[in-house]
Amino acid sequence: KRFRFEGGVTGASPGVDSFRASKLTYQPGRVALDGEVDLKSGEMAVQASTVALDAEKDVMSATGKVRIDSPQGLVLAGKAERDGKKRTMTFEGGVSLDGPEGKVSAGSALIDDANGTMTFTGNVQGSMGEIKDFRASRIVRHAKTGDADITDLTVREMALGEGDSSQSPGGMSFNRISIEKAPKVSVKAGNVERITGGVDFSLQSAKPGEAPMHVLADQAEFLYNAQG
């Protein structure tokens, strides 16, 4: 059997605390909501043009100006799907995440609660931790540690913290870095730890008027003192 309800539809269903929509279509095991959908499930609030709930598969799909607010942050996308069995959420179409660690936009994104990772793919841009105004092709971030693996990173400018002239080559002190090429980047606890696959970057001096140092190398490692 199939039922349809129209006009200011409100209610709740298994796994959904409350919902509101212009139209609801019901058939056993499946609910389709259409028209300015507003749905709340636990700590997650969803707004979209349409939302489909599949009880058997434990899948929720949302399309059309999707807005999802959760502890991970605010996500905007053209399409989103939550898989309760796999404990994943996928996003496609102009994805934007504004969360505690910064703001990131990408072609697609995957939040994997089972593995504790957040993956952004395709024209990734934004700011994350100390890395500001970056571009990359892919980022995998580990939620518990703050570590990240970044592919094809470029950064206009990034602060390095207070330089230490006693340990810098030639007695120079650097406090900023511009990255032109970084194929594989490892980030630990919010700090860039290692770049491999060929590196092209410039170190900006902490002293006014001092020329930057341009560096080309197969790989680079960054060491931080106790003060960061």
Side-chain angles (χ1 to χ4, degrees), residues 17-184:
D17 299 328
S18 65
F19 63 76
R20 184 178 69 247
S22 298
K23 182 171 67 176
L24 181 151
T25 302
Y26 169 83
Q27 61 187 64
R30 185 176 175 84
V31 174
L33 302 169
D34 293 281
E36 299 183 355
V37 180
D38 193 339
L39 179 150
K40 294 183 179 180
S41 177
E43 296 182 305
M44 181 177 65
V46 179
Q47 293 179 339
S49 298
T50 67
V51 173
L53 306 170
D54 191 316
E56 183 178 350
K57 295 181 179 180
D58 195 8
V59 170
M60 180 190 72
S61 302
T63 60
K65 297 181 180 179
V66 179
R67 176 188 174 98
I68 298 180
D69 201 349
S70 72
Q72 286 89 355
L74 174 63
V75 181
L76 305 178
K79 180 181 179 181
E81 181 175 285
R82 181 187 68 177
D83 190 317
K85 293 181 179 179
K86 295 181 179 179
R87 296 175 59 198
T88 61
M89 286 197 71
T90 57
F91 304 90
E92 298 177 0
V95 180
S96 173
L97 169 65
D98 192 348
E101 298 300 322
K103 187 173 183 178
V104 179
S105 63
S108 63
L110 167 65
I111 297 177
D112 188 337
D113 287 335
N115 293 314
T117 59
M118 187 178 297
T119 303
F120 300 92
T121 307
N123 192 28
V124 187
Q125 302 179 43
S127 300
M128 185 179 66
E130 71 169 21
I131 307 176
K132 311 296 183 184
D133 194 17
F134 68 79
R135 293 176 180 268
S137 61
R138 187 170 187 264
I139 293 179
V140 179
R141 185 176 181 279
H142 303 270
K144 291 184 179 180
T145 62
D147 299 348
D149 299 305
I150 307 176
T151 305
D152 299 326
L153 174 69
T154 62
V155 182
R156 180 181 300 174
E157 188 174 272
M158 179 176 69
L160 291 176
E162 186 177 352
D164 185 346
S165 59
S166 65
Q167 295 183 15
S168 300
M172 298 179 69
S173 179
F174 306 104
N175 64 357
R176 290 168 294 152
I177 182 173
S178 299
I179 301 176
E180 298 297 328
K181 176 186 176 184
K184 296 182 180 180

Side-chain angles (χ1 to χ4, degrees), residues 73 174 192 218:
F174 306 104
V192 176
D218 292 333

